[in-house]
Amino acid sequence: MEQHVLEQSARLPDSGAVTGWAALRWRGGTFFDGRAEGEGAWLPVPLLLGGSNLRQHPRSTISQERFPPRERTEVAGLPVSTVQRAVFDEMRRVGTLLHAVQTVEMAAAASLISVALMTAYVVPHRNGYTGVPLVRRALGLAIDDSRSPRETWLRLVWLSLGLPQPLCNQPVFDLRGRLLGYPDIFDPVAGLVGEYDGADHKDRERHRRDVAREELFRDHGLEYFAVVAGDSREAASARMLATRRRARFLSPDQRAWTLQPPAWWPIPESLDARLARLGLVPALTHA
């Protein structure tokens, strides 16, 4: 994939840059693998020209959108757009709400930018660009805590049913302070755990751990559902609703679990705090 990006970047004029998924991958975004979902072919490398011209090529796409020089930088010798511009361009590429939310959440998962910083970039500065209403809607749904594109899909299916905003990858403990797990989605009011089990969960040892994990949650009064790779949106929706109907909705004094960590549990650093500590906030918010 990196060679694919390099080959197309070599065609750029001096004012141009690689953007979108390719720029995010070049910066270490693991989930931006350059493949269309469900397909094996490489995606074309998105190029911003900055007012110059370039011959069309089947392995790249060309954009003549406004591209101010301050949004162009260099990473490991490759001219790329800034993180926020690359995320902005990728959020608009497919034109669906799911893809837009997945894009910003996977950029956050790679510690490239937070939803708050991306919102600060978009809201005051992107008027007049194509696709901005979709980006704004996606940012209103996005969180910093999703760890995979399918977790994002799982949460958006849940929300589409009118169910309350779940917690994602939130540690859950028993009353003695023992960690029960980090559910993909967690409904603390109902006492419900939801998991997405991808292809990597088919391994025998992984499956054994998944079963033990489910039993541990259930032993502490939590209802549980799993959605597996290949399940349709309709199947996932039905499973979510059926599981929530079975949930116990216990009051806090009746629960055998808690979200309150033990005193020795390290306080997690927020993504915004991490980016600030690394000195990345000024560069990310500059428009």
Side-chain angles (χ1 to χ4, degrees):
M1 186 279 294
E2 283 75 9
Q3 184 62 34
H4 172 47
V5 175
L6 280 169
E7 288 173 358
Q8 294 308 306
S9 70
R11 304 175 55 239
L12 284 166
D14 290 343
S15 59
V18 172
T19 191
W21 69 263
L24 297 171
R25 177 67 178 214
W26 193 258
R27 292 175 181 271
T30 303
F31 288 101
F32 302 98
D33 62 2
R35 303 279 189 181
E37 187 172 357
E39 300 178 15
W42 294 117
L43 291 169
V45 175
L47 305 176
L48 283 168
L49 298 189
S52 301
N53 293 313
L54 187 68
R55 179 173 50 84
Q56 295 286 347
H57 191 283
R59 299 191 69 184
S60 62
T61 58
I62 293 172
S63 172
Q64 291 280 9
E65 275 191 322
R66 285 174 288 165
F67 183 42
R70 63 177 176 269
E71 291 193 335
R72 184 183 185 277
T73 187
E74 189 172 293
V75 174
L78 191 78
V80 292
S81 62
T82 55
V83 172
Q84 65 270 47
R85 180 59 190 264
V87 172
F88 181 65
D89 289 343
E90 181 62 18
M91 288 179 76
R92 299 178 295 148
R93 178 176 63 83
V94 174
T96 67
L97 183 64
L98 173 60
H99 180 80
V101 178
Q102 286 174 327
T103 295
V104 67
E105 291 191 350
M106 291 308 97
S111 295
L112 295 176
I113 198 168
S114 70
V115 173
L117 289 172
M118 191 63 200
T119 301
Y121 167 78
V122 170
V123 172
H125 301 296
R126 298 301 99 185
N127 294 328
Y129 283 76
T130 301
V132 173
L134 173 67
V135 171
R136 288 176 174 159
R137 187 180 172 203
L139 289 170
L141 291 169
I143 61 174
D144 290 335
D145 302 316
S146 185
R147 296 293 174 263
S148 76
R150 298 310 289 174
E151 283 186 20
T152 301
W153 175 82
L154 189 72
R155 192 182 84 258
L156 293 188
V157 172
W158 172 276
L159 291 174
S160 74
L161 300 173
L163 299 175
Q165 181 74 249
L167 301 174
C168 297
N169 294 295
Q170 167 78 42
V172 181
F173 305 88
D174 68 15
L175 300 184
R176 294 178 296 173
R178 179 177 59 152
L179 178 67
L180 301 179
Y182 291 83
D184 290 346
I185 62 173
F186 184 69
D187 180 344
V189 175
L192 181 153
V193 169
E195 297 283 352
Y196 182 84
D197 293 346
D200 58 326
H201 288 252
K202 293 179 180 180
D203 173 80
R204 179 180 298 178
E205 179 59 25
R206 181 64 181 267
H207 180 65
R208 185 192 66 77
R209 294 199 304 269
D210 288 343
V211 171
R213 172 183 167 92
E214 177 179 352
E215 289 177 350
L216 186 61
F217 282 131
R218 291 188 183 279
D219 287 346
H220 288 80
L222 294 165
E223 195 53 72
Y224 184 100
F225 75 84
V227 174
V228 301
D231 278 344
S232 67
R233 182 186 185 93
E234 292 73 23
S237 298
R239 198 166 303 149
M240 291 172 178
L241 293 172
T243 304
R244 202 166 194 268
R245 285 194 294 268
R246 295 194 304 268
R248 300 174 68 180
F249 289 85
L250 296 175
S251 60
D253 62 306
Q254 296 177 305
R255 296 169 181 169
W257 56 270
T258 180
L259 297 176
Q260 181 63 44
W264 53 266
W265 190 260
I267 299 174
E269 184 180 38
S270 71
L271 178 56
D272 283 304
R274 186 182 316 135
L275 292 170
R277 176 171 55 80
L278 296 173
L280 296 176
V281 172
L284 290 171
T285 55
H286 183 65

